[in-house]
């Protein structure tokens, strides 16, 4: 008896779901299981959990102790987010330009799939557009980084050190 593709997908879904649940519950059990080794030098599981909780509470107070570091981190994450958004937009535009075309000629689709395009001017235009978008992205990223750096430097600058 043959199992259909949709049925195989559901079986795989439930197997993966079972594996994830199994790993979760094994991790929970291993936290509370006593150590079977004879070594008594290591911390207990409860001590490790308390230490992890103290570490998390200490990290939450980090921005009050070091505001310049938090400002720099925020600027870096904002810059990375903007870059990711622009890269996604460029990728979307490229895919839209490639997949958005409707061709009724099956021979041209087969030729394009095998790399036998007769439209070298179209291919070159797409390559030129991608190069232009990449250069624009690099220029914008450098400008944003310079702007963010000047903001952070203006806040963090407290004096200068000179060598005699």
């Amino acid at each position: 008896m043959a199992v259909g593709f949709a049925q195989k997908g559901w079986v795989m879904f439930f197997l993966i779901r079972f594996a994830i649940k199994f790993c979760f519950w094994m991790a929970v059990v291993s936290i509370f299981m006593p150590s079977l080794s004879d070594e008594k030098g290591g911390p207990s599981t409860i001590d490790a959990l308390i230490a992890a909780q103290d570490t998390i509470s200490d990290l939450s107070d980090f921005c009050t102790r070091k505001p310049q570091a938090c400002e720099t981190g925020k600027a870096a994450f904002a810059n990375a987010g903007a870059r990711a958004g622009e890269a996604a937009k460029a990728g979307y535009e490229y895919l839209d330009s490639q997949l958005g075309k409707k061709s009724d000629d099956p021979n041209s689709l087969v030729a394009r799939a095998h790399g036998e395009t007769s439209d070298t001017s179209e291919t070159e235009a797409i390559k030129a557009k991608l190069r232009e978008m990449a250069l624009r992205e690099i220029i914008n990223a450098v400008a944003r980084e310079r702007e963010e750096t000047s903001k952070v430097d203006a806040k963090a600058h407290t004096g200068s050190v000179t060598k005699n």
Side-chain angles (χ1 to χ4, degrees):
M1 180 174 158
V3 178
F5 179 73
Q7 291 175 338
K8 286 181 185 177
W10 282 105
V11 170
M12 186 60 74
F13 170 75
F14 285 112
L15 287 174
I16 291 172
R17 186 174 165 211
F18 170 76
I20 291 171
K21 285 182 175 182
F22 180 77
C23 290
F24 170 77
W25 286 112
M26 286 296 113
V28 169
V29 167
S30 68
I31 288 174
F32 295 107
M33 182 182 289
S35 176
L36 299 177
S37 66
D38 292 333
E39 298 176 16
K40 295 294 181 185
S44 70
T45 307
I46 303 299
D47 292 338
L49 287 174
I50 292 171
Q53 184 180 10
D54 290 341
T55 302
I56 291 171
S57 68
D58 183 53
L59 287 176
S60 65
D61 294 336
F62 179 74
C63 285
T64 58
R65 291 190 313 252
K66 302 275 187 177
Q68 291 91 4
C70 284
E71 289 296 322
T72 304
K74 287 178 187 176
F77 280 123
N79 192 11
R83 285 183 187 176
E86 290 173 2
K89 182 180 177 185
Y92 176 76
E93 288 174 355
Y94 172 74
L95 288 176
D96 190 43
S97 69
Q98 291 297 308
L99 302 175
K101 300 175 189 172
K102 301 293 183 191
S103 176
D104 296 334
D105 183 22
N107 293 331
S108 68
L109 292 175
V110 172
R112 190 178 302 149
H114 290 287
E116 303 168 2
T117 58
S118 60
D119 293 288
T120 56
S121 62
E122 180 182 333
T123 305
E124 292 302 320
I126 291 171
K127 287 180 182 178
K129 179 70 174 173
L130 285 174
R131 279 193 294 269
E132 177 187 340
M133 289 170 38
L135 287 173
R136 189 179 307 132
E137 168 62 29
I138 291 170
I139 291 169
N140 289 340
V142 168
R144 279 193 313 273
E145 188 172 330
R146 184 179 302 142
E147 182 180 300
E148 293 296 327
T149 303
S150 67
K151 286 180 184 176
V152 171
D153 286 344
K155 291 179 183 177
H157 185 62
T158 57
S160 60
V161 177
T162 58
K163 186 176 181 181
N164 291 335

